[in-house]
Amino acid sequence: HKCDQPFIVTSSEKASAMCPKACPYYVQNFRAIETCSFLCVKAEDCAKWNPHTKIADGWLRICRSPNINHCRRFEPAHDKCEICQGGFHRTSKGTCFPDWAITVPIGVILI
């Protein structure tokens, strides 16, 4: 694949076919009318082709959306929540935790 040039992924696509080092991230082409249209892009171009996939995931080599449940607004290009949905509060790690959750210590009783 070449940088910034759309291609259609088919069932015959080799799973080992990767994007070049100059543009190592797969992103779904949100601008295309064809289904299964993708591009190889640089990290900073992830949102250019798909506004929902602002995170360049180096492990998976894809552009993806944030992965935090119950988040109303995400920190730009990070897997951290800026503002949680109602009924949830933001933790120091940027995740959302229910306000109503009760932490109960569980111990082991040996007889």
Side-chain angles (χ1 to χ4, degrees):
H1 303 297
K2 295 180 180 178
C3 295
D4 298 317
Q5 292 187 5
F7 58 90
I8 303 297
V9 174
T10 65
S11 59
S12 64
E13 180 79 19
K14 291 183 180 181
S16 61
M18 300 180 82
C19 290
K21 288 183 182 181
C23 51
Y25 300 98
Y26 277 113
V27 63
Q28 185 177 9
N29 187 357
F30 199 70
R31 297 179 185 178
I33 56 172
E34 304 91 5
T35 56
C36 300
S37 177
F38 289 82
L39 296 99
C40 291
V41 298
K42 297 175 185 174
E44 59 268 19
D45 291 334
C46 284
K48 175 182 173 183
W49 295 97
N50 188 335
H52 305 293
T53 58
K54 296 178 181 179
I55 296 174
D57 188 316
W59 179 257
L60 297 173
R61 295 178 61 126
I62 62 170
C63 298
R64 63 174 177 80
S65 59
N67 191 18
I68 303 290
N69 294 323
H70 309 292
C71 184
R72 181 177 292 155
R73 184 170 65 211
F74 295 97
E75 289 185 10
H78 291 94
D79 258 341
K80 291 186 178 183
C81 188
E82 195 171 290
I83 299 174
C84 295
Q85 295 174 347
F88 293 84
H89 65 273
R90 185 183 184 278
T91 67
S92 60
K93 293 182 179 181
T95 60
C96 296
F97 197 75
D99 292 336
W100 49 265
I102 300 171
T103 305
V104 178
I106 300 174
V108 177
I109 300 174
L110 298 175
I111 300 178

